[in-house]
Amino acid sequence: MPNRLGDAIRSLLKQRDLKAFQLGEQIGVSPTSVSKIMNGASRPRQSTFSRMCEVLCTTKAEEQLLVSAFAGSESLQFEDEDPAPYGKQVEPSAP
């Protein structure tokens, strides 16, 4: 069974030029905990996951990737797929 959350974290770490232990330092968990999450041996608590999003996600598209992987859903598709900067409001399309 593929580990979508681990794959998503690896991809975002690579984009940020971060190592797993550095992520752990920034979110307040041990390197062992990060390793277990990335290898699918455990799932992060909601608070840990939220801190991961804050550190790893700079766009809505990245946040959607990580949330989708965490939730285990196939994908979270939105009509507006323009990757707006994280935290920036995107106006919904008119019907």
Side-chain angles (χ1 to χ4, degrees):
M1 178 181 219
N3 179 5
R4 293 183 57 219
L5 181 58
D7 293 343
I9 293 169
R10 278 183 200 83
S11 174
L12 292 169
L13 284 171
K14 186 174 181 177
Q15 290 177 33
R16 304 285 170 269
D17 197 28
L18 286 173
K19 303 292 183 197
F21 81 89
Q22 293 170 311
L23 174 63
E25 289 174 350
Q26 291 186 33
I27 65 173
V29 298
S30 71
T32 301
S33 294
V34 174
S35 177
K36 286 181 178 181
I37 291 166
M38 291 177 65
N39 292 318
S42 68
R43 287 181 49 87
R45 292 181 179 155
Q46 182 64 45
S47 59
T48 300
F49 179 73
S50 294
R51 290 191 305 271
M52 277 186 184
C53 285
E54 290 173 7
V55 170
L56 295 175
C57 302
T58 59
T59 67
K60 282 291 186 184
E62 291 170 346
E63 182 181 15
Q64 291 168 4
L65 170 74
L66 206 56
V67 169
S68 176
F70 180 72
S73 61
E74 285 301 311
S75 68
L76 296 176
Q77 293 291 328
F78 294 90
E79 289 182 25
D80 181 8
E81 293 188 16
D82 180 38
Y86 184 73
K88 179 181 175 186
Q89 293 287 355
V90 176
E91 293 297 321
S93 302

